Amino acid sequence: MESEVKKTDFGCVFSFTTDLTLAYSCVLKFQKKNIISIIIVLIQQYISMGMIIQVLFLFQYVCMIASFLISLRFINKEVFPHYMKNFYWYTVVGFFVVIPSLLGNYTDSNFSGIGNFVNNISVLFHFLFLSFFCINLLCDEKKGIFYFLQFVGMLILIFLLFRYDMFKRNRLLSAVANFGLVIFCILYFVKLFNNSPDINIKNEPSFWIVTGVLFCMSISIPVMIFQNHFYSILVTKGWVDFFRGIAMLCYGIMHLFFIKAFLCTSVHSKIRY
Amino acid sequence: MESLSTQYLIVFILVCICLILMLISFIVFVIYQYKQKQNLYYKDMEQVKALHRDELLQSQIEIQEQTFENISREIHDNIGQKLTLAKLHLNTLDLLEVNNANERLQTSVTLISDAIIDLSDISRSLSAEVIANNGLIKALELEVQQMRKSSLYNISLEINGEPVFLDSHRELIVFRIIQESLSNIMKHAAATLIKIKLNYTELLLQVNISDNGKGFSVDQPYTYGTGIANMKRRAGWLKGVCLLDSIPGAGTNINIEIPLI
């Protein structure tokens, strides 16, 4: 009976208040079973998977746009640490890459083909840029080995790009690129703990960026593989939304970490003598 | 159908919460481990710094002791001799023999004047103030000037690169190393030609001291005196190196490299 109440009705407000009151009284009486059942009822009534997906979709793009806007202040400025000097390019390119997806989502126009094509190409940039960033952080003497790894990774990605239809979303390509980046991120942490620990890690932009990338990439690998290989089996809408939601959450969190890294980076105006 | 959708939703929320908790735990773990490592590192650094401070103090004491030794040797061997001779001349002075007395008086005056000059030279060459006030290069120039006066050595000093002022303590140690090597040349090498070259690079101060003396066999460490060991140890205090190259009969070449940073 409760589930039949339309969410736009005023009845919903009363029902919500009643449920909350009930939940509150359960908390007071510490009735665990009742609390869980009330939470389930609340979820059933007021939250839907579609709503969560929309929220995560917004969360992802808001984070992305926020990191893009914050990164704008680094353009043509002296920044410290120096490895952050060109990092704004990642968010700038990312912003332009998501435009087709955003337009496709909020307008009736069909941008999915172009969006997929741009996405597939951007995976190459994504891998190249972030791996280069990690190599810059890693490099001491064995730079050649890392560049070789990057080169091999790029060859595999180019092969995968041309192997499949470029106008369809190539999740295998993304999974392989993300796997490569996970390796570079792990190498960063190995180096972090092997070198003399003389940095303030909480204010170290590279730490936040690499942590964000590692988290997002390592979660998105199984997600991409599941989406790519088990799509025909897990074709139910629930599973599709499930994986989409996880991927969007991860990307949103990664951009939040980028924002944190940008906030840790200090900007100095260029002084010309 | 609706219960299935709710199940997906609950699983999804739980997975998201788990992922976020995992991420937070990972960050906390990394920061905690890093801080632990950092604390250990800073403790070690403090110990190394304390050790270095001790070594510098030790070097200061050693230099001071050597300075006293040099002063006592100079006074005993040189000034003492001159003053004893002057006293002897004055003791045996016979005022009735005017010519002889004048000559003896004149000799005594000359001896006492020489002793005074020697005293001031010693004081100048051993004083750390010269280094503190004028720097290493000026002190070396004075040292070279001093040696030239003896007319026993053809000595040259060459400075290359842009001179960098080390702190006075470090400059004093470098100066003492050079002084030690010059003292060794004077005592053992029987050289006539001495060349001192200072080369300032971006990262290093390179000092080269060469002579045309009798040299010695580097392969036989027992031929080294404590002077060479002192030089090597002092270079080590400054995180530098002191290398010797010598062939019997073909002179000696000493290379000292001290990092500037």
Side-chain angles (χ1 to χ4, degrees):
Chain A
M1 201 48 198
E2 288 282 317
S3 59
E4 284 170 19
V5 179
K6 282 184 183 175
K7 288 169 194 174
T8 46
D9 288 348
F10 284 111
C12 172
V13 179
F14 293 119
S15 145
F16 182 68
T17 320
T18 321
D19 288 341
L20 272 184
T21 320
L22 195 59
Y24 181 68
S25 63
C26 284
V27 170
L28 285 179
K29 287 177 186 170
F30 204 71
Q31 292 170 323
K32 279 184 187 173
K33 278 183 183 175
N34 283 350
I35 295 171
I36 293 166
S37 58
I38 287 294
I39 291 170
I40 291 170
V41 169
L42 281 172
I43 290 171
Q44 265 181 332
Q45 275 205 303
Y46 304 106
I47 308 171
S48 66
M49 199 64 187
M51 188 201 288
I52 291 268
I53 293 297
Q54 279 304 311
V55 168
L56 286 174
F57 184 83
L58 273 176
F59 167 72
Q60 180 194 359
Y61 287 115
V62 165
C63 291
M64 196 177 263
I65 290 164
S67 69
F68 161 70
L69 291 175
I70 292 171
S71 72
L72 288 180
R73 72 186 177 128
F74 295 99
I75 295 175
N76 286 331
K77 293 269 170 64
E78 287 290 329
V79 293
F80 185 81
H82 296 299
Y83 58 76
M84 288 298 288
K85 194 182 171 192
N86 294 316
F87 195 75
Y88 64 85
W89 279 112
Y90 185 79
T91 53
V92 170
V93 173
F95 176 74
F96 288 109
V97 166
V98 299
I99 287 176
S101 318
L102 273 173
L103 289 175
N105 194 67
Y106 289 110
T107 61
D108 293 333
S109 328
N110 187 10
F111 286 101
S112 64
I114 299 165
N116 288 338
F117 176 76
V118 173
N119 251 316
N120 289 338
I121 297 290
S122 74
V123 171
L124 295 185
F125 169 79
H126 160 78
F127 174 78
L128 196 67
F129 190 95
L130 289 179
S131 59
F132 194 73
F133 179 78
C134 288
I135 290 170
N136 263 341
L137 296 172
L138 288 170
C139 71
D140 283 329
E141 290 128 28
K142 294 173 183 172
K143 228 176 181 177
I145 297 171
F146 298 127
Y147 280 128
F148 177 73
L149 274 176
Q150 191 190 31
F151 178 70
V152 170
M154 277 304 287
L155 283 183
I156 295 170
L157 292 181
I158 290 168
F159 169 76
L160 287 174
L161 181 72
F162 289 105
R163 172 87 172 71
Y164 300 99
D165 186 357
M166 281 206 257
F167 288 90
K168 281 185 182 163
R169 186 72 201 270
N170 191 342
R171 289 198 171 83
L172 188 63
L173 180 75
S174 303
V176 172
N178 294 353
F179 179 72
L181 289 175
V182 166
I183 292 172
F184 281 112
C185 293
I186 290 169
L187 287 173
Y188 169 83
F189 279 105
V190 170
K191 193 208 163 193
L192 187 76
F193 279 97
N194 282 342
N195 279 12
S196 52
D198 50 1
I199 51 168
N200 181 0
I201 198 161
K202 284 183 197 166
N203 290 326
E204 179 63 25
S206 65
F207 168 71
W208 294 110
I209 289 175
V210 175
T211 306
V213 172
L214 178 66
F215 171 74
C216 179
M217 300 304 128
S218 48
I219 301 297
S220 63
I221 293 169
V223 170
M224 300 280 181
I225 290 170
F226 266 98
Q227 281 183 320
N228 198 51
H229 289 283
F230 302 100
Y231 193 79
S232 50
I233 306 164
L234 309 166
V235 78
T236 57
K237 177 91 167 63
W239 279 112
V240 171
D241 283 349
F242 183 89
F243 286 121
R244 264 188 79 198
I246 299 267
M248 287 191 290
L249 177 79
C250 291
Y251 275 95
I253 288 174
M254 184 177 81
H255 280 277
L256 278 182
F257 277 70
F258 288 174
I259 293 171
K260 168 70 183 161
F262 284 130
L263 294 178
C264 290
T265 309
S266 57
V267 186
H268 306 283
S269 298
K270 258 187 185 170
I271 302 163
R272 293 178 199 282
Y273 292 100
Chain B
M1 191 66 192
E2 193 172 322
S3 73
L4 192 68
S5 167
T6 312
Q7 274 175 12
Y8 278 130
L9 192 60
I10 290 167
V11 172
F12 178 77
I13 290 170
L14 286 176
V15 168
C16 287
I17 290 168
C18 284
L19 287 178
I20 290 166
L21 284 177
M22 265 169 56
L23 177 64
I24 292 167
S25 321
F26 175 76
I27 292 167
V28 170
F29 174 76
V30 170
I31 291 175
Y32 176 75
Q33 287 292 324
Y34 194 82
K35 288 269 174 194
Q36 293 270 59
K37 210 179 165 226
Q38 209 164 33
N39 288 342
L40 274 177
Y41 173 74
Y42 286 140
K43 253 184 207 169
D44 285 351
M45 284 293 284
E46 275 303 311
Q47 277 176 352
V48 169
K49 271 183 191 170
L51 204 68
H52 188 63
R53 266 200 303 271
D54 287 349
E55 278 180 354
L56 280 178
L57 199 68
Q58 199 188 336
S59 78
Q60 264 175 332
I61 293 165
E62 205 170 296
I63 285 168
Q64 214 171 29
E65 275 173 7
Q66 206 180 357
T67 309
F68 290 145
E69 201 182 299
N70 285 345
I71 293 169
S72 80
R73 199 178 54 232
E74 280 292 315
I75 289 171
H76 180 265
D77 297 351
N78 192 11
I79 299 159
Q81 296 288 332
K82 282 176 182 168
L83 290 176
T84 311
L85 209 57
K87 187 191 166 195
L88 199 69
H89 278 291
L90 292 173
N91 272 344
T92 55
L93 193 70
D94 188 355
L95 292 171
L96 296 173
E97 289 179 39
V98 179
N99 284 342
N100 196 9
N102 270 343
E103 197 185 317
R104 276 174 186 273
L105 265 177
Q106 198 55 51
T107 312
S108 299
V109 168
T110 313
L111 282 168
I112 292 167
S113 305
D114 283 354
I116 291 167
I117 292 167
D118 284 353
L119 259 179
S120 73
D121 284 349
I122 291 168
S123 125
R124 207 170 32 231
S125 85
L126 296 177
S127 167
E129 269 180 44
V130 180
I131 307 272
N133 294 339
N134 306 312
L136 175 67
I137 292 171
K138 188 72 191 167
L140 280 176
E141 279 170 357
L142 284 172
E143 191 73 14
V144 166
Q145 223 173 5
Q146 195 81 356
M147 285 183 76
R148 271 186 197 138
K149 271 188 203 168
S150 69
S151 313
L152 292 171
Y153 308 103
N154 180 6
I155 182 164
S156 64
L157 173 67
E158 193 182 314
I159 316 284
N160 296 317
E162 190 64 38
V164 175
F165 178 73
L166 306 167
D167 64 87
S168 58
H169 182 74
R170 293 178 77 198
E171 287 208 331
L172 179 66
I173 294 176
V174 175
F175 180 65
R176 293 297 183 220
I177 297 172
I178 298 170
Q179 232 180 3
E180 182 80 51
S181 64
L182 292 176
S183 159
N184 284 344
I185 292 170
M186 286 190 285
K187 277 191 224 165
H188 311 295
T192 52
L193 185 74
I194 304 169
K195 284 181 186 171
I196 307 170
K197 283 181 194 167
L198 263 73
N199 185 30
Y200 287 91
T201 66
E202 205 173 315
L203 301 169
L204 288 173
L205 163 62
Q206 296 165 321
V207 182
N208 176 265
I209 304 151
S210 58
D211 67 67
N212 64 344
K214 57 185 179 188
F216 62 97
S217 176
V218 186
D219 301 328
Q220 291 168 312
Y222 56 83
T223 55
Y224 292 10
T226 50
I228 291 169
N230 275 344
M231 283 158 60
K232 289 193 172 198
R233 202 170 59 244
R234 283 174 187 171
W237 287 336
L238 302 175
K239 305 216 183 310
V241 283
C242 175
L243 301 168
L244 269 106
D245 183 20
S246 183
I247 298 165
T252 304
N253 199 17
I254 300 170
N255 280 304
I256 303 155
E257 287 192 351
I258 307 292
L260 292 174
I261 301 164

